[in-house]
Amino acid sequence: MKIVNRNEELLRDALSCIPQPSSSRTSLASCNKLIRFEDISAAAFKIQCGVQKTPCMYSRLSKQYGMDIYLKREFLQYTGSVKERGVLYLLMSLPQDQQRKGVIVASDSNFSMAVAYHASELHIPVFLIMSTNTAPARLKMCREYGATVISYGTTAKDSQVHARRLAQENAYLYLEEEDSAVYLSGLGTVGLEIYEQVPKLDAVIFPAGGHCGLLAGSAAALKHLNPHISVIGVESESFPVLQESLKAGHPSEDQACNNHNFYGDVSGVCFGNNSLQLTGKLVDKVVAVREEDILISMLRLLEYERATVDAEGAIGLAALVAGKLPELKGKRVAVVICSGNLELHLLRQCIAHALTLDNRVCRFSLVISDCPGDVSKLLEILAREEARVLEIKQERTFVTSELSTVEVICTVETRDMIHTAQLRNALLERYPTTAWTER
């Protein structure tokens, strides 16, 4: 497919002033060039047999947020991430002699998992250097994809130094996630698919943050096809690296992420001038959301869509959950759910925390007389109010009130905020000293 219009000039302007990287690292930085719509179309044709054409489906959340929401389910890719699109096109574009020699990556990210899988599928030798702190499940998964995985060093920097040394000694190509035109073109195929799948689109929402190649590449495709479609990026308030970089005019490295396990690939800074210039020229808006909004978004996707996603996958919907985009009310909006790689123990923590934030799990304490039947009366009230008891404890030793009393600490689950308020009023009416644990 080839569609030519005046937006070709816009794409050329976006990259016309980008300096070529001066780094001598063994990577694909030297392959940076103008990204054109034809590049994205060529990438779509070349990778069509290697990645999923994921569905973009109408969401049951639409009525709740007052707009027609379509979810682009990129977490359904084989490795659970949209990064496969860019990685596959990047690997297929390597010279044959380099494919024979192999590639090496130093990361525990979605990018490295995509390299592990697709390099193995293309019969390219692939080596992954990961720190000793990498989750065992991720190490196991990459080995099952077919990569040779080596644990080295206690930090990501240690792994990177070791990988670069091995690349130099063995003529491997050292790969890291960057914004070469090849990689961006592969990621931009998401924009093509959304445009084909959802007619009369008003806006598309993408994750942004430290990894904005998906946002930049897809914006290039969408703005070429229809300049009236709003392209919106969403990042975390904790480290608004993209907004800071756009203000400064160059990639900012002042923001740091103190919760890498939760934020994953949207943390840190890895985009270059190509992504930044494209974003500045083609993206209509970049907004930031709180961690609480991301957690609620993860909960909504799990309950309404049966989609188990990570922070990167949920951050786009979080902008709608937080009411950051009121101008989209009544519009037709696509949201890219780009990743679903969350460790199980962290998933449990996220859902538990999200339920408390959503006022559906609450805790209270009250003091009652230590007489037979008094706890039963409390449970009767909870049953009448249809609250589900998750945990109940009785404390006698450290109670500061009368000797014949007992402190009851209870954790319950409710339907929603209104139900929680009703329960609270019922308890305060019977037990005026009831104390609620504030979240």
Side-chain angles (χ1 to χ4, degrees), residues 81-391:
S81 170
V82 70
K83 301 294 173 68
E84 286 191 30
R85 294 175 178 269
V87 165
L88 178 58
Y89 191 46
L90 186 154
L91 292 172
M92 295 176 76
S93 301
L94 294 178
Q96 288 189 358
D97 63 332
Q98 188 60 64
Q99 291 187 12
R100 287 193 297 269
K101 292 174 183 176
V103 297
I104 190 167
V105 184
S107 169
D108 63 351
S109 64
N110 289 332
F111 177 81
S112 64
M113 295 176 68
V115 172
Y117 172 67
H118 283 292
S120 298
E121 289 294 298
L122 294 171
H123 305 290
I124 299 173
V126 54
F127 304 88
L128 265 59
I129 313 300
M130 295 182 171
S131 73
T132 55
N133 296 323
T134 302
R138 184 150 294 202
L139 289 169
K140 179 176 180 288
M141 188 70 70
C142 289
R143 288 193 175 104
E144 289 177 351
Y145 289 153
T148 300
V149 181
I150 302 171
S151 295
Y152 184 92
T154 57
T155 65
K157 187 175 181 180
D158 293 337
S159 301
Q160 290 165 7
V161 171
H162 187 58
R164 290 175 190 272
R165 184 168 61 248
L166 291 176
Q168 188 174 14
E169 292 172 355
N170 299 279
Y172 304 141
L173 180 65
Y174 176 72
L175 292 179
E176 59 183 345
E177 190 170 4
E178 55 192 14
D179 65 347
S180 66
V182 175
Y183 186 62
L184 292 182
S185 297
L187 293 176
T189 59
V190 174
L192 288 183
E193 286 188 12
I194 292 174
Y195 185 81
E196 293 172 356
Q197 292 170 316
V198 186
K200 299 180 182 179
L201 262 179
D202 294 302
V204 185
I205 302 174
F206 295 91
H211 297 248
C212 66
L214 173 63
L215 171 65
S218 295
L222 288 165
K223 287 296 186 180
H224 180 97
L225 293 164
N226 184 352
H228 300 296
I229 295 176
S230 294
V231 179
I232 300 167
V234 186
E235 62 182 351
S236 169
E237 282 186 358
S238 302
F239 40 96
V241 290
L242 181 54
Q243 294 182 71
E244 293 296 327
S245 298
L246 289 170
K247 289 178 183 177
H250 57 81
S252 171
E253 298 184 4
D254 296 333
Q255 303 290 340
C257 172
N258 55 10
N259 192 356
H260 169 74
N261 288 337
F262 174 67
Y263 285 103
D265 284 10
V266 294
S267 63
V269 180
C270 81
F271 57 82
N273 284 319
N274 281 6
S275 297
L276 188 62
Q277 293 286 346
L278 278 170
T279 300
K281 285 280 187 179
L282 304 177
V283 174
D284 297 276
K285 191 174 185 178
V286 178
V287 299
V289 295
R290 303 173 303 161
E291 183 174 296
E292 291 87 345
D293 301 321
I294 299 173
L295 288 168
I296 294 293
S297 177
M298 293 170 66
L299 180 62
R300 295 284 184 271
L301 288 167
L302 181 61
E303 284 192 308
Y304 284 82
E305 300 296 334
R306 300 298 183 260
T308 305
V309 303
D310 53 22
E312 186 180 11
I315 197 169
L317 182 65
L320 302 180
V321 169
K324 294 282 186 176
L325 301 167
E327 69 273 18
L328 298 183
K329 291 287 185 180
K331 301 295 182 68
R332 181 169 289 198
V333 182
V335 182
V336 180
I337 312 299
C338 64
S339 176
N341 290 318
L342 191 64
E343 297 172 26
L344 290 177
H345 75 278
L346 189 55
L347 174 63
R348 288 193 293 266
Q349 294 176 31
C350 289
I351 297 305
H353 195 183
L355 286 168
T356 61
L357 292 170
D358 206 27
N359 293 288
R360 290 161 56 186
V361 171
C362 51
R363 178 175 294 173
F364 61 87
S365 62
L366 49 83
V367 177
I368 59 177
S369 67
D370 193 10
C371 297
D374 276 15
V375 173
S376 297
K377 292 177 182 178
L378 170 62
L379 293 175
E380 287 176 6
I381 294 175
L382 295 177
R384 186 176 68 244
E385 296 298 325
E386 299 180 343
R388 179 171 175 241
V389 179
L390 301 179
E391 183 181 43

Side-chain angles (χ1 to χ4, degrees), residues 58-76:
Y58 183 79
S59 173
R60 289 187 293 165
L61 292 165
S62 297
K63 292 182 180 179
Q64 187 169 341
Y65 295 105
M67 63 191 75
D68 289 335
I69 300 174
Y70 292 81
L71 301 179
K72 179 63 170 169
R73 297 170 175 258
E74 281 298 303
F75 66 93
L76 295 178

